[in-house]
């Protein structure tokens, strides 16, 4: 990100080296894990972006309008790899618990620009929240909360409050490292790991290392939109931009957000264009699968659209490869906007798609 101090850039570079470093079991990898380094999942279009090469298996139970993250059975993240030492103890990898009512294989979300999204004050997001649809427009986005009451703007279901929390969660669930705030190894479908199956002293990631990784993610620049256009392309983009607003997509994919005060001047008081309100919306049965602590199966956080042109798979589970298919899968609160797009003449649809693929 432009505007970092020399010290901030140094922490960014140290964090990037850790992000790309291949971890081993001797260093604390596992004994349950999904990847061997952060960049295994986050490498498109560059390291720190998103990824589809490794998809994380999630499983939850939704009953009586309540989400059970299956913590007693090992949690909602199903780790599908195990170290040789754990396997030698007759354990791992994990399996989907029988109690689960839904599963999903989710792609790795892009991390680009996360520090800027973190710097947007809650009050800015709450301006657009309308959980009871008081204005009657069919859009009822809300800002989810964690068990401790903090708001949660990160994760497809609103799973983390800060970039540090997001990084901490990934270290624990995807690489199997223990961290300063979570020094116990993840259980194998609820069964504790034998101490000698993971000999590395806990926590395996210390506070300075966690801070360096967090700074790397926090200081990643947002993806830049396409810059060079012909005159004809500019006309098409202008038409597509206007239609995107006209058919109602910006009711959730908010064009601009404003960051507030921040310890890092490069993050403070900036207008950004992520095309997201960072709120949960019910998108209907087609996209419904697992639930979240404060999210029903059909609720998903509005995905930022910046960098869309670099993605080869779309939606939270990567089920489609093109924009019209992704729009067609939207339901629930997005039904009216979806239907308005489908009703457009083919040339107008292409203009909307061309605009989105310029982001």
């Amino acid at each position: 990100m432009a505007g970092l101090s020399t010290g901030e850039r140094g922490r960014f570079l140290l964090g990037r080296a850790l992000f790309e470093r291949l971890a081993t079991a001797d260093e604390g990898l596992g004994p349950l894990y999904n990847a061997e380094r952060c960049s295994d999942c986050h490498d498109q279009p560059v390291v720190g972006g998103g990824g589809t090469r490794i998809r994380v298996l999630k499983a939850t139970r939704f009953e009586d309008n309540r989400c059970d993250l299956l913590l007693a059975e090992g949690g909602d993240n199903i780790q599908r790899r195990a170290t040789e030492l754990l396997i030698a103890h007759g354990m791992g990898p994990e399996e989907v618990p029988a109690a689960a009512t839904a599963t999903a294989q989710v792609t790795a979300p892009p991390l680009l620009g996360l520090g800027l999204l973190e710097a947007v004050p809650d009050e800015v997001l709450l301006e657009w929240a309308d959980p009871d649809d008081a204005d009657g427009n069919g859009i009822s986005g809300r800002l989810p909360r964690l068990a401790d009451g903090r708001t949660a703007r990160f994760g497809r279901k609103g799973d983390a409050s800060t970039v540090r929390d997001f990084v901490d969660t990934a270290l624990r669930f995807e690489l199997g490292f223990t961290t300063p705030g979570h020094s116990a190894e993840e259980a194998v479908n609820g069964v504790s790991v034998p101490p000698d199956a993971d000999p590395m002293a806990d926590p395996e990631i210390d506070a300075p290392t966690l801070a360096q990784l967090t700074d790397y993610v926090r200081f990643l620049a947002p993806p830049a939109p396409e810059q060079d256009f012909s005159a004809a392309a500019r006309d098409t983009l202008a038409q597509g931009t206007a239609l995107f607003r006209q058919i109602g997509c910006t009711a959730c994919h908010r064009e601009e957000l404003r960051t507030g005060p921040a310890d890092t001047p490069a993050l403070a008081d900036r207008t950004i264009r992520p095309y997201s309100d960072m709120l949960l919306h019910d998108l209907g049965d087609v996209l419904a699968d697992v639930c979240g602590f404060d999210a029903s199966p059909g609720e998903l956080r509005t995905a930022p659209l910046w960098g869309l042109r670099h993605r080869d798979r779309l939606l939270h589970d990567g089920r489609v490869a093109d924009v019209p298919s992704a729009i067609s899968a939207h339901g629930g609160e997005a039904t009216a906007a979806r239907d308005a797009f489908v009703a457009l003449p083919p040339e107008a649809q292409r203009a909307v798609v061309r605009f989105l693929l310029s982001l």
Side-chain angles (χ1 to χ4, degrees):
M1 181 180 298
L4 297 177
S5 68
T6 301
E8 289 162 349
R9 181 169 173 77
R11 296 202 303 275
F12 173 86
L13 294 173
L14 286 171
R16 184 173 69 183
L18 291 167
F19 195 88
E20 296 185 70
R21 191 175 188 278
L22 184 69
T24 67
D26 291 339
E27 298 169 323
L29 177 76
L32 289 173
Y33 64 103
N34 287 320
E36 295 170 307
R37 54 187 157 201
C38 304
S39 58
D40 282 348
C41 294
H42 297 279
D43 63 351
Q44 297 175 1
V46 294
V47 171
T52 57
R53 188 159 48 91
I54 297 176
R55 302 192 189 191
V56 175
L57 178 61
K58 297 273 192 176
T60 60
R61 181 176 184 82
F62 192 73
E63 190 174 45
D64 298 328
N65 206 34
R66 186 183 70 86
C67 184
D68 180 357
L69 297 179
L70 303 174
L71 298 180
E73 290 83 13
D76 63 320
N77 191 311
I78 310 301
Q79 286 101 348
R80 293 193 280 180
R81 299 178 68 180
T83 60
E84 293 181 2
L85 190 54
L86 183 63
I87 293 172
H89 281 74
M91 302 179 70
E94 287 192 303
E95 298 178 354
V96 173
T101 57
T103 62
Q105 294 194 56
V106 299
T107 59
L111 306 181
L112 305 176
L114 241 58
L116 289 165
L117 294 174
E118 181 184 45
V120 177
D122 279 354
E123 301 78 60
V124 173
L125 304 182
L126 289 168
E127 287 178 8
W128 276 47
D130 185 15
D132 300 317
D133 192 19
D135 59 10
N137 69 348
I139 308 296
S140 53
R142 62 189 185 86
L143 192 56
R145 293 187 180 273
L146 301 175
D148 60 11
R150 291 182 301 156
T151 58
R153 65 184 64 190
F154 298 117
R156 266 39 184 277
K157 294 283 182 175
D159 309 308
S161 180
T162 65
V163 171
R164 186 185 187 279
D165 290 347
F166 186 88
V167 172
D168 183 279
T169 298
L171 287 169
R172 291 187 289 124
F173 296 153
E174 310 307 342
L175 281 81
F177 285 111
T178 53
T179 62
H182 301 87
S183 58
E185 292 288 352
E186 290 296 306
V188 183
N189 284 126
V191 180
S192 297
V193 172
D196 57 349
D198 186 65
M200 179 72 175
D202 298 311
E204 295 155 341
I205 296 290
D206 60 20
T209 300
L210 177 58
Q212 288 169 356
L213 280 166
T214 299
D215 281 340
Y216 168 69
V217 175
R218 183 175 284 132
F219 297 155
L220 283 165
E226 189 177 353
Q227 301 294 332
D228 298 324
F229 305 106
S230 64
R234 283 194 293 270
D235 291 342
T236 301
L237 288 173
Q239 180 190 12
T241 303
L243 287 168
F244 187 75
R245 297 169 182 151
Q246 178 183 319
I247 63 179
C249 297
T250 54
C252 299
H253 290 284
R254 185 174 179 175
E255 295 179 69
E256 290 186 352
L257 293 172
R258 182 77 180 171
T259 69
D263 293 336
T264 301
L267 299 173
D269 302 314
R270 289 183 55 179
T271 298
I272 58 174
R273 298 178 66 83
Y275 287 88
S276 172
D277 59 9
M278 303 301 288
L279 302 177
L280 283 179
H281 294 275
D282 190 337
L283 296 184
D285 293 338
V286 172
L287 292 178
D289 42 47
V290 295
C291 53
F293 175 80
D294 192 22
S296 69
E299 286 183 307
L300 290 160
R301 186 204 58 167
T302 305
L305 298 181
W306 56 10
L308 188 69
R309 65 195 178 103
H310 297 299
R311 303 176 203 170
D312 57 4
R313 306 297 304 182
L314 304 176
L315 300 176
H316 69 288
D317 53 6
R319 70 177 66 182
V320 300
D322 61 89
V323 171
S325 296
I327 295 174
S328 296
H330 285 56
E333 297 174 43
T335 299
R338 176 201 66 196
D339 292 348
F341 173 80
V342 172
L344 291 174
E347 184 176 349
Q349 288 188 13
R350 287 193 290 270
V352 173
V353 172
R354 181 65 183 88
F355 156 67
L356 290 171
L357 294 180
S358 73
L359 297 179

